[in-house]
Amino acid sequence: MARVVLVAGVALCALGVLGIVLHLVRRGRWRTLRSAAELYQRARLALTSAVDTTVVGQTPVDRSAEVDRAVEIGQQALDAWKSAGTPPTSAALRVRVAGLAVAYGDDLRNAGRAEAALAHLAAAQAVLAERVDADPVRHRPMLADVLTATAAAEADLGHADEALRLDGRIVPLLRDLAQDRPTAYARQLGLALAAEARHFHEIGRAAEALAAAAEATTLLRTADRAALASAGADHAAILLAAGRDEEALAAVNEAVKHGAQGFDGHSFEHCATLTVLGRCLLTLGRTPLAEAPLRDALALARAAATRHPHRGRSWLADSLTATAEMLTVLDRPADAVAAAQEATQLAPSDSGLQARALWALSAALVADGRPADARTPAAEAVELYKRLVAARPGRHHREQAQAQELLSRL
């Protein structure tokens, strides 16, 4: 009997020790999760400090080292999060860390580090997808947020097909949410449709791009008129590419109206809207009317490029190209050549922006009485458009025809 009691006592002691060990392990995992949350907060603060300290009008400052440090802190957060595993009763804390990871991932994308953002967004998506069934009311909106951020990062990396695959999950999810609470989710659905329209446009699916853009602007007209400015400019650009020039002008005029009300003086969105307006007017042969919006767009693009160099180069290249086209028509070829040359230096290689800048440069050189110099950029533009159209058969046909017609005259 004594032996039985002894064995039972030893067993109870062992269970007690095991319980203490399990408690310590769980406690350690909790601490690791909390550490991950704190690291994400530090990473966001470091990233914000690195990105937002340039003063408009000043020469851009290279803050890549500071951004690199923020990326390192974020990686520490992700490593800690993964090492914590899934301790019992930690669901709320894991969801909190996931929310911080989504915000940090979106910050990374805005800082020009879209590729680095994807790992954090994937980890957040895994947690939120797991929690949706347990608490759909709370977690479906968060899942929509992480999918939206991921689609934006993929689009920034040029992966329009992958972005569209994600759109195929985002838009139905937001439609369901908006059906139950239309006031709460109409704006988010409108923005998701606008993003989907851009992605359809990027891969050359014009009809679907136009349908999504039209629905987006209809929703945002009542849900958020400031957001309508950006979506309306995108809609106008898609209409312009489709050859529906008067409709494009009407769409961008509405966007400009709301952009002036909703954006600050150094907004990327308003810069893009004014550039699209100028391009619509140029296409319709109303060049004198294009001068003011393109002048303002160029000033905004230069200011924006000082604050956000990673994105500003493309925005400035587009504005300079439109300005060069206008100056050529206004018989100021030397100024047009200078603007187009700057655009070719800023535009990403092998992009539609680069092809259009090359075409604008060639046209400006012809107007400047230098047809021999114009042939090389015209030929480069035609060759680049051929590659772009081969990759995306529904895109760039109008611009390709312009470049081919110019080259045939040289």
Side-chain angles (χ1 to χ4, degrees), residues 49-71:
S49 299
V51 171
D52 289 342
T53 51
T54 301
V55 177
V56 172
Q58 288 184 351
T59 302
V61 177
D62 183 5
R63 301 195 179 278
S64 57
E66 296 171 46
V67 176
D68 288 342
R69 178 57 183 152
V71 171

PDB file of all heavy atoms in Angstrom, residues 49-71:
ATOM      1  N   SER A  49       9.781  57.706 -39.791  1.00  0.00           N
ATOM      2  CA  SER A  49      10.812  58.731 -39.628  1.00  0.00           C
ATOM      3  C   SER A  49      11.708  58.822 -40.857  1.00  0.00           C
ATOM      4  O   SER A  49      12.100  59.906 -41.283  1.00  0.00           O
ATOM      5  CB  SER A  49      11.672  58.421 -38.397  1.00  0.00           C
ATOM      6  OG  SER A  49      10.880  58.419 -37.230  1.00  0.00           O
ATOM      7  N   ALA A  50      12.009  57.670 -41.457  1.00  0.00           N
ATOM      8  CA  ALA A  50      12.892  57.654 -42.625  1.00  0.00           C
ATOM      9  C   ALA A  50      12.230  58.239 -43.852  1.00  0.00           C
ATOM     10  O   ALA A  50      12.874  58.901 -44.658  1.00  0.00           O
ATOM     11  CB  ALA A  50      13.344  56.225 -42.912  1.00  0.00           C
ATOM     12  N   VAL A  51      10.912  58.015 -43.998  1.00  0.00           N
ATOM     13  CA  VAL A  51      10.219  58.403 -45.226  1.00  0.00           C
ATOM     14  C   VAL A  51       9.715  59.834 -45.176  1.00  0.00           C
ATOM     15  O   VAL A  51       9.733  60.552 -46.174  1.00  0.00           O
ATOM     16  CB  VAL A  51       9.043  57.437 -45.502  1.00  0.00           C
ATOM     17  CG1 VAL A  51       8.178  57.948 -46.643  1.00  0.00           C
ATOM     18  CG2 VAL A  51       9.581  56.058 -45.819  1.00  0.00           C
ATOM     19  N   ASP A  52       9.289  60.310 -44.016  1.00  0.00           N
ATOM     20  CA  ASP A  52       8.548  61.574 -43.945  1.00  0.00           C
ATOM     21  C   ASP A  52       9.357  62.776 -43.483  1.00  0.00           C
ATOM     22  O   ASP A  52       8.788  63.809 -43.159  1.00  0.00           O
ATOM     23  CB  ASP A  52       7.342  61.413 -43.004  1.00  0.00           C
ATOM     24  CG  ASP A  52       6.261  60.538 -43.612  1.00  0.00           C
ATOM     25  OD1 ASP A  52       6.292  60.363 -44.842  1.00  0.00           O
ATOM     26  OD2 ASP A  52       5.419  60.044 -42.870  1.00  0.00           O
ATOM     27  N   THR A  53      10.694  62.690 -43.438  1.00  0.00           N
ATOM     28  CA  THR A  53      11.462  63.823 -42.924  1.00  0.00           C
ATOM     29  C   THR A  53      11.964  64.760 -44.011  1.00  0.00           C
ATOM     30  O   THR A  53      12.471  65.825 -43.709  1.00  0.00           O
ATOM     31  CB  THR A  53      12.674  63.317 -42.120  1.00  0.00           C
ATOM     32  OG1 THR A  53      13.400  62.361 -42.909  1.00  0.00           O
ATOM     33  CG2 THR A  53      12.239  62.670 -40.826  1.00  0.00           C
ATOM     34  N   THR A  54      11.806  64.408 -45.290  1.00  0.00           N
ATOM     35  CA  THR A  54      12.221  65.307 -46.361  1.00  0.00           C
ATOM     36  C   THR A  54      11.225  66.450 -46.491  1.00  0.00           C
ATOM     37  O   THR A  54      10.024  66.237 -46.567  1.00  0.00           O
ATOM     38  CB  THR A  54      12.299  64.545 -47.695  1.00  0.00           C
ATOM     39  OG1 THR A  54      13.222  63.481 -47.543  1.00  0.00           O
ATOM     40  CG2 THR A  54      12.769  65.459 -48.807  1.00  0.00           C
ATOM     41  N   VAL A  55      11.712  67.675 -46.538  1.00  0.00           N
ATOM     42  CA  VAL A  55      10.853  68.844 -46.668  1.00  0.00           C
ATOM     43  C   VAL A  55      10.618  69.131 -48.141  1.00  0.00           C
ATOM     44  O   VAL A  55      11.546  69.100 -48.953  1.00  0.00           O
ATOM     45  CB  VAL A  55      11.494  70.073 -45.986  1.00  0.00           C
ATOM     46  CG1 VAL A  55      10.635  71.308 -46.182  1.00  0.00           C
ATOM     47  CG2 VAL A  55      11.700  69.773 -44.507  1.00  0.00           C
ATOM     48  N   VAL A  56       9.368  69.400 -48.494  1.00  0.00           N
ATOM     49  CA  VAL A  56       9.040  69.691 -49.883  1.00  0.00           C
ATOM     50  C   VAL A  56       9.867  70.882 -50.364  1.00  0.00           C
ATOM     51  O   VAL A  56       9.960  71.907 -49.697  1.00  0.00           O
ATOM     52  CB  VAL A  56       7.526  69.982 -50.027  1.00  0.00           C
ATOM     53  CG1 VAL A  56       7.210  70.476 -51.425  1.00  0.00           C
ATOM     54  CG2 VAL A  56       6.726  68.734 -49.703  1.00  0.00           C
ATOM     55  N   GLY A  57      10.437  70.724 -51.551  1.00  0.00           N
ATOM     56  CA  GLY A  57      11.241  71.786 -52.125  1.00  0.00           C
ATOM     57  C   GLY A  57      12.725  71.601 -51.878  1.00  0.00           C
ATOM     58  O   GLY A  57      13.550  72.212 -52.555  1.00  0.00           O
ATOM     59  N   GLN A  58      13.103  70.762 -50.922  1.00  0.00           N
ATOM     60  CA  GLN A  58      14.510  70.509 -50.672  1.00  0.00           C
ATOM     61  C   GLN A  58      15.023  69.421 -51.611  1.00  0.00           C
ATOM     62  O   GLN A  58      14.257  68.653 -52.187  1.00  0.00           O
ATOM     63  CB  GLN A  58      14.737  70.054 -49.228  1.00  0.00           C
ATOM     64  CG  GLN A  58      14.575  71.159 -48.193  1.00  0.00           C
ATOM     65  CD  GLN A  58      14.915  70.654 -46.796  1.00  0.00           C
ATOM     66  OE1 GLN A  58      15.104  69.472 -46.585  1.00  0.00           O
ATOM     67  NE2 GLN A  58      14.989  71.574 -45.849  1.00  0.00           N
ATOM     68  N   THR A  59      16.341  69.362 -51.749  1.00  0.00           N
ATOM     69  CA  THR A  59      16.955  68.292 -52.520  1.00  0.00           C
ATOM     70  C   THR A  59      16.684  66.961 -51.823  1.00  0.00           C
ATOM     71  O   THR A  59      16.794  66.872 -50.605  1.00  0.00           O
ATOM     72  CB  THR A  59      18.474  68.520 -52.623  1.00  0.00           C
ATOM     73  OG1 THR A  59      18.700  69.787 -53.227  1.00  0.00           O
ATOM     74  CG2 THR A  59      19.126  67.424 -53.453  1.00  0.00           C
ATOM     75  N   PRO A  60      16.307  65.910 -52.584  1.00  0.00           N
ATOM     76  CA  PRO A  60      16.044  64.616 -51.946  1.00  0.00           C
ATOM     77  C   PRO A  60      17.241  64.120 -51.152  1.00  0.00           C
ATOM     78  O   PRO A  60      18.385  64.253 -51.574  1.00  0.00           O
ATOM     79  CB  PRO A  60      15.752  63.697 -53.147  1.00  0.00           C
ATOM     80  CG  PRO A  60      15.320  64.609 -54.244  1.00  0.00           C
ATOM     81  CD  PRO A  60      16.067  65.891 -54.028  1.00  0.00           C
ATOM     82  N   VAL A  61      16.977  63.572 -49.986  1.00  0.00           N
ATOM     83  CA  VAL A  61      18.018  63.044 -49.114  1.00  0.00           C
ATOM     84  C   VAL A  61      17.978  61.522 -49.185  1.00  0.00           C
ATOM     85  O   VAL A  61      16.903  60.917 -49.127  1.00  0.00           O
ATOM     86  CB  VAL A  61      17.799  63.519 -47.660  1.00  0.00           C
ATOM     87  CG1 VAL A  61      18.846  62.903 -46.734  1.00  0.00           C
ATOM     88  CG2 VAL A  61      17.832  65.032 -47.587  1.00  0.00           C
ATOM     89  N   ASP A  62      19.141  60.914 -49.342  1.00  0.00           N
ATOM     90  CA  ASP A  62      19.205  59.460 -49.386  1.00  0.00           C
ATOM     91  C   ASP A  62      19.022  58.895 -47.977  1.00  0.00           C
ATOM     92  O   ASP A  62      19.904  59.006 -47.134  1.00  0.00           O
ATOM     93  CB  ASP A  62      20.549  59.015 -49.963  1.00  0.00           C
ATOM     94  CG  ASP A  62      20.638  57.495 -50.090  1.00  0.00           C
ATOM     95  OD1 ASP A  62      19.627  56.817 -49.814  1.00  0.00           O
ATOM     96  OD2 ASP A  62      21.709  56.991 -50.468  1.00  0.00           O
ATOM     97  N   ARG A  63      17.855  58.308 -47.730  1.00  0.00           N
ATOM     98  CA  ARG A  63      17.560  57.737 -46.421  1.00  0.00           C
ATOM     99  C   ARG A  63      17.450  56.219 -46.514  1.00  0.00           C
ATOM    100  O   ARG A  63      16.784  55.593 -45.689  1.00  0.00           O
ATOM    101  CB  ARG A  63      16.279  58.353 -45.851  1.00  0.00           C
ATOM    102  CG  ARG A  63      16.378  59.866 -45.707  1.00  0.00           C
ATOM    103  CD  ARG A  63      15.288  60.440 -44.828  1.00  0.00           C
ATOM    104  NE  ARG A  63      15.421  61.883 -44.702  1.00  0.00           N
ATOM    105  CZ  ARG A  63      16.233  62.495 -43.860  1.00  0.00           C
ATOM    106  NH1 ARG A  63      17.002  61.785 -43.069  1.00  0.00           N
ATOM    107  NH2 ARG A  63      16.288  63.818 -43.817  1.00  0.00           N
ATOM    108  N   SER A  64      18.098  55.639 -47.511  1.00  0.00           N
ATOM    109  CA  SER A  64      17.985  54.194 -47.696  1.00  0.00           C
ATOM    110  C   SER A  64      18.538  53.427 -46.502  1.00  0.00           C
ATOM    111  O   SER A  64      18.026  52.358 -46.154  1.00  0.00           O
ATOM    112  CB  SER A  64      18.707  53.771 -48.980  1.00  0.00           C
ATOM    113  OG  SER A  64      20.067  54.171 -48.949  1.00  0.00           O
ATOM    114  N   ALA A  65      19.589  53.965 -45.849  1.00  0.00           N
ATOM    115  CA  ALA A  65      20.147  53.276 -44.685  1.00  0.00           C
ATOM    116  C   ALA A  65      19.125  53.215 -43.549  1.00  0.00           C
ATOM    117  O   ALA A  65      19.018  52.191 -42.850  1.00  0.00           O
ATOM    118  CB  ALA A  65      21.427  53.973 -44.219  1.00  0.00           C
ATOM    119  N   GLU A  66      18.368  54.296 -43.375  1.00  0.00           N
ATOM    120  CA  GLU A  66      17.341  54.319 -42.328  1.00  0.00           C
ATOM    121  C   GLU A  66      16.204  53.353 -42.661  1.00  0.00           C
ATOM    122  O   GLU A  66      15.671  52.668 -41.777  1.00  0.00           O
ATOM    123  CB  GLU A  66      16.810  55.738 -42.156  1.00  0.00           C
ATOM    124  CG  GLU A  66      17.858  56.722 -41.659  1.00  0.00           C
ATOM    125  CD  GLU A  66      17.357  58.145 -41.700  1.00  0.00           C
ATOM    126  OE1 GLU A  66      16.220  58.390 -41.256  1.00  0.00           O
ATOM    127  OE2 GLU A  66      18.097  59.022 -42.186  1.00  0.00           O
ATOM    128  N   VAL A  67      15.845  53.309 -43.949  1.00  0.00           N
ATOM    129  CA  VAL A  67      14.814  52.354 -44.364  1.00  0.00           C
ATOM    130  C   VAL A  67      15.320  50.930 -44.162  1.00  0.00           C
ATOM    131  O   VAL A  67      14.577  50.056 -43.696  1.00  0.00           O
ATOM    132  CB  VAL A  67      14.406  52.595 -45.832  1.00  0.00           C
ATOM    133  CG1 VAL A  67      13.410  51.529 -46.293  1.00  0.00           C
ATOM    134  CG2 VAL A  67      13.783  53.981 -45.998  1.00  0.00           C
ATOM    135  N   ASP A  68      16.593  50.689 -44.500  1.00  0.00           N
ATOM    136  CA  ASP A  68      17.178  49.357 -44.285  1.00  0.00           C
ATOM    137  C   ASP A  68      17.080  48.941 -42.810  1.00  0.00           C
ATOM    138  O   ASP A  68      16.800  47.783 -42.494  1.00  0.00           O
ATOM    139  CB  ASP A  68      18.641  49.339 -44.722  1.00  0.00           C
ATOM    140  CG  ASP A  68      18.807  49.383 -46.233  1.00  0.00           C
ATOM    141  OD1 ASP A  68      17.825  49.081 -46.938  1.00  0.00           O
ATOM    142  OD2 ASP A  68      19.908  49.720 -46.699  1.00  0.00           O
ATOM    143  N   ARG A  69      17.332  49.893 -41.915  1.00  0.00           N
ATOM    144  CA  ARG A  69      17.252  49.601 -40.480  1.00  0.00           C
ATOM    145  C   ARG A  69      15.817  49.247 -40.093  1.00  0.00           C
ATOM    146  O   ARG A  69      15.587  48.309 -39.306  1.00  0.00           O
ATOM    147  CB  ARG A  69      17.741  50.807 -39.671  1.00  0.00           C
ATOM    148  CG  ARG A  69      17.655  50.633 -38.159  1.00  0.00           C
ATOM    149  CD  ARG A  69      18.411  49.416 -37.680  1.00  0.00           C
ATOM    150  NE  ARG A  69      18.261  49.202 -36.236  1.00  0.00           N
ATOM    151  CZ  ARG A  69      18.337  48.016 -35.663  1.00  0.00           C
ATOM    152  NH1 ARG A  69      18.581  46.924 -36.377  1.00  0.00           N
ATOM    153  NH2 ARG A  69      18.180  47.901 -34.355  1.00  0.00           N
ATOM    154  N   ALA A  70      14.851  49.970 -40.631  1.00  0.00           N
ATOM    155  CA  ALA A  70      13.442  49.654 -40.357  1.00  0.00           C
ATOM    156  C   ALA A  70      13.093  48.269 -40.882  1.00  0.00           C
ATOM    157  O   ALA A  70      12.322  47.528 -40.248  1.00  0.00           O
ATOM    158  CB  ALA A  70      12.535  50.711 -40.992  1.00  0.00           C
ATOM    159  N   VAL A  71      13.659  47.892 -42.027  1.00  0.00           N
ATOM    160  CA  VAL A  71      13.419  46.568 -42.592  1.00  0.00           C
ATOM    161  C   VAL A  71      14.011  45.495 -41.677  1.00  0.00           C
ATOM    162  O   VAL A  71      13.396  44.434 -41.455  1.00  0.00           O
ATOM    163  CB  VAL A  71      14.015  46.469 -44.011  1.00  0.00           C
ATOM    164  CG1 VAL A  71      13.975  45.027 -44.516  1.00  0.00           C
ATOM    165  CG2 VAL A  71      13.249  47.380 -44.969  1.00  0.00           C
TER     166      VAL A  71
END
